[in-house]
Amino acid sequence: MTRTTPSPELACPIAPVVDIVFSRWTTPILWTLNEYGRQRFVELERRIATISPKVLTQRLRQLERDGLVVRTYHAEVPPRVEYEISELGRSLGPLFASLAEWSPNLDRVEAARQAYDTRGSSR
């Protein structure tokens, strides 16, 4: 009997969602757009101070491609571009709210890490 290895998507149906939503900068970008509304690139860059312009550009393009962000170009002098979270992006709100509810457990995670590290150094 031949056994085939299932794809990660079949083994764990949420894996593609995690790949889209929880890449390094996606969550802060979506949270910022949801919290503060439509913003220009420079405003996003200021609010997410640790992101480089190159990475912000890449992530915004990917989020636009995924349908989570809407980019609006205004043909003015000088040209103006604004970004806002899409309806599809807003639909992630309950997921983010659930994660926020879980965040008090981070203290327990840190305690477990410290206990593990202490055990590891005594081996």
Side-chain angles (χ1 to χ4, degrees):
M1 175 157 70
T2 305
R3 203 169 197 175
T4 60
T5 304
S7 69
E9 292 81 12
L10 294 176
C12 178
I14 66 166
V17 176
V18 170
D19 287 345
I20 292 168
V21 177
F22 297 108
S23 63
R24 173 68 175 105
W25 293 106
T26 297
T27 309
I29 292 169
L30 291 176
W31 183 87
T32 301
L33 290 173
N34 190 60
E35 188 73 15
Y36 297 102
R38 183 181 302 150
Q39 294 179 61
R40 296 174 75 169
F41 184 90
V42 174
E43 293 170 309
L44 278 169
E45 194 176 24
R46 281 187 204 126
R47 286 202 161 98
I48 309 170
T50 54
I51 193 169
S52 72
K54 177 183 176 185
V55 172
L56 181 56
T57 298
Q58 291 170 342
R59 293 308 309 147
L60 284 169
R61 285 183 183 151
Q62 186 62 51
L63 291 169
E64 182 182 7
R65 182 174 182 258
D66 291 341
L68 301 175
V69 166
V70 175
R71 178 184 184 268
T72 305
Y73 175 81
H74 300 277
E76 304 171 345
V77 178
R80 181 170 48 105
V81 177
E82 294 177 317
Y83 298 90
E84 62 185 307
I85 193 167
S86 69
E87 282 302 314
L88 183 59
R90 265 191 209 89
S91 72
L92 293 166
L95 174 63
F96 291 150
S98 294
L99 291 170
E101 287 177 20
W102 191 86
S103 67
N105 288 304
L106 291 174
D107 291 339
R108 293 172 55 195
V109 171
E110 185 56 33
R113 287 176 178 169
Q114 289 177 3
Y116 179 89
D117 292 347
T118 301
R119 283 195 319 263
S121 64
S122 64
R123 289 182 192 177

